[in-house]
Amino acid sequence: FPVTITLDDLNNEWINDSDIDPSELGNESLKTPKLHQKWSWYLVEEKKALYALVHQLEQRSIVWEMWLLKTMTESERQDYNNAGYKLPPFSDKRILKPDVEKNLNSIDEISKLKIKIGLQNDKIDYIKSVLGMIGNRSFQIKDAIAWAQYTSGL
């Protein structure tokens, strides 16, 4: 899936982008569409990465469910292992269908993917909040202009 930016990098990027130079309010106003485009692109890229992670989780969950319920053959298990899965040999333990979800959550690979999905959602939420701030940027600039006029006696 696509390589994405870290939450720390997004935060540092926003620290740089959120500065408004009070001596160049006209130019700052003209930067708004570029900032919106930049952060909208980040949102698209992070959503693509989220979709890839969700797809990967779904695929891995299906294979592990087949393994847990023993609905795959030994040769299929070996084929999946050759494809990068790490399915252990079948055990004598029987798992009932209602217990599959609980057992899936205890599989390290599935847990790690769920954590990655959670972090990906956090990044998307952060980018959406930045886009909201960019949407309000013109009001902030207008307020700064009004304040400058007020303090200079105009």
Side-chain angles (χ1 to χ4, degrees), residues 121-135:
N121 279 318
D122 289 346
K123 289 194 288 184
I124 288 169
D125 290 344
Y126 184 83
I127 293 169
K128 286 179 179 179
S129 73
V130 167
L131 284 168
M133 291 294 293
I134 291 170

Side-chain angles (χ1 to χ4, degrees), residues 37-112:
Q37 183 277 331
K38 173 184 176 178
W39 286 90
S40 294
W41 184 250
Y42 282 155
L43 181 61
V44 168
E45 290 299 309
E46 295 302 327
K47 281 186 171 186
K48 286 183 347 188
L50 175 64
Y51 300 146
L53 284 170
V54 168
H55 177 73
Q56 187 179 8
L57 175 64
E58 290 168 353
Q59 294 300 311
R60 297 283 172 164
S61 294
I62 289 169
V63 170
W64 276 101
E65 183 175 331
M66 288 170 40
W67 179 84
L68 287 168
L69 295 173
K70 298 182 177 131
T71 58
M72 70 171 61
T73 65
E74 178 59 29
S75 73
E76 287 174 322
R77 187 188 73 79
Q78 290 172 356
D79 289 344
Y80 281 116
N81 281 341
N82 290 338
Y85 289 79
K86 294 181 174 92
L87 301 171
F90 292 116
S91 70
D92 292 334
K93 181 181 172 187
R94 283 286 194 206
I95 295 175
L96 301 174
K97 183 79 171 162
D99 295 332
V100 167
E101 188 65 31
K102 178 178 66 174
N103 282 277
L104 277 176
N105 288 331
S106 69
I107 296 169
D108 192 47
E109 177 182 20
I110 300 296
S111 297
K112 286 179 181 177

